[in-house]
Amino acid sequence: MNLCEFLAFVLGFFLCVSTCTYGESSTCLTVYKEGGAPAVFQSPKCPRWKLPDHGSEQWSKSPNARCQTALHQGRRKSQEDRILCALDIRIPFPGSNGITEVPVGVVAVFDGHNGAEASEMASKLLLQYFTLHTFFLLDATFSVLSRKMIGLLPNERGQSTLRDLNWELDELNVGRLKLTVSSIIDRSFHLEILREALLRAIDDIDSAFSREALRHNFDSGSTATVILMAENQILVANIGDSKAFLCSEEFKSQEESKANLLRLYRQTRGFGIFEPVKNFQSFKLAAPDQWPFLIAKELTRDHHPDRDDERSRVETAGGHVSKWGGIARINGQLAVSRAIGDVYFKSYGVISAPEVTDWQPLTANDCYLVATSDGVSEKLSSQDICDILWNLHADFSVQSELAYSCSYSLADCIVNAAFEKGSMDNMAAVILPVRLNGSTQTVVKKTHAGMRKFDCSYSGDSNYISQHSGKIECSSSFYS
């Protein structure tokens, strides 16, 4: 990129930022630098930023929500799990060609323990803190870029200082966020801004709750499994032992298909949501050369104290890991080694820093994005859940009957299956269809009487599901 092209870009970038960001005052920026999102929302120096009175319910219980969510109290005295699903956050990112509104989605499950205070605060504040950090990081990026631009302007003798600077490789340091000019120009920088905004939001939530916990003597803590979505890509940040995974379509050979069908046939007897198929041989023998199944692709790893790296950190900090009731616990009590809150365990190596995946593209074979609390996963594996979703697609002549919960909501179907299998815990599930629009529809190479193609292209609502129980389709209107 030559000097003229770069200056044209910076001018366009400046015009975009000046119109699409808040242009915060220097006093408010100082508040942000010193105290992060909690300080901004509390400071009279930042009047544009106010926390709403409502909680996360607006995002998780909307009747028109494109993702399906469910909470089940199970056999506990109270419900401590929380969920969040916001799929249409429009964030204006500046670039050389003007402002581009990037639709961003946030899906999260928070599994509270020893009280609901931590999960409640996290579910209410995540979206607000995340949005605030995104805009302030954009502001900071522009500020750093404009300072660097000053040295590029021709001096009185018409000379430019560009000669000693390789702009394609030069880094812009915005705190721990490192960006290159080239990433800003090609618009890939916004994914890094979103990632950093999420990490800062989680850190701020833990700090804010910890202060409240010490003030009010709260013992509670919470897991946090958060999925970010932007431009057909996903990123997962995980704290604790809630799970996120994809159910992705994969074709199996005839022999593999028969083995899978036998496994699924046996499982329907234990899920508690299907009538067992009475004539297994009739569809086993009809398995075609290739048959599509949904395969679980894990996106998270549990943070349990007996995981080698987690145990090492806990024991280095002076904590003790032992089995209690068959479950590894810190000091005989806490069953997770990372959590929001749990302030009295922080000195024993419990941290709130999430494990974060890289941004990864969704593929044409990905059908469902799922997040669950451990009340679900203690009785249903990720593959079990994908099998249930696959069973809902099956259209055999001896079709299993769907229970009422499955005809109403896929997420309710999952939590009720876990409950029927004996889960003692609170349960939470979020299921989001993510089949990319325009992708080739999946068809079985051979059909047989009583068998129909596996179609995964419709998001579905409760009416559609109840009326077409043999052919639920999935797609993501979020990406349209």
Side-chain angles (χ1 to χ4, degrees), residues 2 26 56 65 79 126 133 138 185 197 210 221 248 273 309 347 357 410:
N2 60 37
S26 58
S56 62
Q79 175 60 273
L126 178 64
H133 279 298
L138 275 172
I185 294 171
S210 295
S248 299
I273 55 175
D309 53 343
S347 60
T357 68
L410 297 178

Side-chain angles (χ1 to χ4, degrees), residues 168-418:
E168 293 301 313
L169 299 176
D170 189 42
E171 285 188 342
L172 304 179
N173 297 314
V174 183
R176 65 185 172 190
L177 178 64
K178 298 184 184 300
L179 301 171
T180 63
V181 175
S182 59
S183 72
I184 295 175
I185 294 171
D186 66 19
R187 288 189 60 247
S188 62
F189 84 107
H190 68 277
L191 295 178
E192 292 309 308
I193 292 239
L194 294 173
R195 179 184 187 277
E196 178 65 17
L198 176 61
L199 295 180
R200 294 189 182 198
I202 292 173
D203 185 60
D204 278 352
I205 288 170
D206 181 66
S207 298
F209 178 75
S210 295
R211 288 192 293 270
E212 289 295 304
L214 293 172
R215 184 179 300 116
H216 300 287
N217 200 30
F218 293 149
D219 294 327
S220 62
S222 178
T223 73
T225 297
V226 187
I227 307 168
L228 277 187
M229 295 166 284
E231 299 205 337
N232 295 339
Q233 297 191 64
I234 59 173
L235 173 148
V236 181
N238 185 51
I239 302 169
D241 59 1
S242 296
K243 291 185 182 296
F245 57 94
L246 285 163
C247 292
S248 299
E249 183 184 277
E250 184 176 307
F251 279 90
K252 298 294 185 180
S253 68
Q254 187 176 40
E255 288 305 311
E256 291 174 319
S257 296
K258 289 181 179 180
N260 270 358
L261 287 172
L262 177 59
R263 176 176 57 82
L264 290 167
Y265 166 70
R266 290 170 174 167
Q267 284 179 338
T268 60
R269 295 177 176 272
F271 285 147
I273 55 175
F274 299 110
E275 292 287 341
V277 176
K278 296 179 177 61
N279 190 1
F280 171 71
Q281 286 298 122
S282 69
F283 66 85
K284 175 188 174 185
L285 296 175
D289 290 342
Q290 287 193 333
W291 185 260
F293 292 88
L294 292 179
I295 306 301
K297 293 164 56 176
E298 301 287 352
L299 300 173
T300 56
R301 295 194 302 159
D302 292 343
H303 296 127
H304 289 154
D306 56 352
R307 205 178 92 175
D308 288 345
D309 53 343
E310 299 294 298
R311 178 193 289 270
S312 175
R313 186 186 66 251
V314 168
E315 292 180 343
T316 299
H320 175 67
V321 178
S322 59
K323 288 287 185 71
W324 184 265
I327 298 174
R329 297 180 183 274
I330 299 173
N331 297 349
Q333 299 179 64
L334 190 63
V336 291
S337 50
R338 301 193 192 198
I340 291 172
D342 286 313
V343 292
Y344 301 112
F345 287 91
K346 289 292 171 68
S347 60
Y348 296 106
V350 174
I351 61 175
S352 62
E355 274 192 297
V356 188
T357 68
D358 294 329
W359 283 99
Q360 59 187 65
L362 292 167
T363 71
N365 289 333
D366 296 329
C367 193
Y368 291 107
L369 181 60
V370 183
T372 64
S373 64
D374 74 333
V376 173
S377 59
E378 73 178 26
K379 292 299 179 181
L380 297 176
S381 69
S382 300
Q383 187 57 53
D384 286 339
I385 293 171
C386 292
D387 288 343
I388 291 174
L389 297 175
W390 181 90
N391 207 318
L392 296 173
H393 287 274
D395 193 21
F396 306 118
S397 58
V398 285
Q399 170 87 30
S400 300
E401 293 297 323
L402 291 170
Y404 173 76
S405 62
C406 295
S407 65
Y408 176 72
S409 162
L410 297 178
D412 279 320
C413 186
I414 297 304
V415 298
N416 282 323

Side-chain angles (χ1 to χ4, degrees), residues 58-167:
Q58 62 160 335
W59 300 107
S60 61
K61 298 186 182 296
S62 169
N64 297 316
R66 285 167 286 178
C67 61
Q68 299 186 34
T69 64
L71 288 168
H72 196 304
Q73 187 170 319
R75 295 169 173 85
R76 294 292 180 90
K77 293 182 179 180
S78 61
Q79 175 60 273
E80 296 174 345
D81 288 1
R82 298 291 186 270
I83 51 180
L84 172 69
C85 186
L87 298 183
D88 200 19
I89 309 167
R90 299 277 171 169
I91 298 180
F93 280 93
S96 56
N97 295 322
I99 298 170
T100 301
E101 275 201 342
V102 176
V104 176
V106 180
V107 169
V109 168
F110 306 94
D111 183 353
H113 47 263
N114 295 325
E117 296 89 357
S119 57
E120 178 71 9
M121 177 179 283
S123 65
K124 284 185 174 181
L125 294 182
L126 178 64
L127 204 59
Q128 310 302 329
Y129 283 12
F130 168 72
T131 304
L132 182 145
H133 279 298
T134 300
F135 278 97
F136 274 82
L137 285 170
L138 275 172
D139 209 69
T141 300
F142 167 70
S143 177
V144 172
L145 184 61
S146 20
R147 286 198 301 270
K148 285 182 171 288
M149 177 189 168
I150 294 174
L152 295 178
L153 297 175
N155 56 29
E156 64 276 8
R157 291 172 294 183
Q159 297 174 332
S160 170
T161 60
L162 183 64
R163 64 183 183 273
D164 296 323
L165 192 58
N166 181 356
W167 277 97

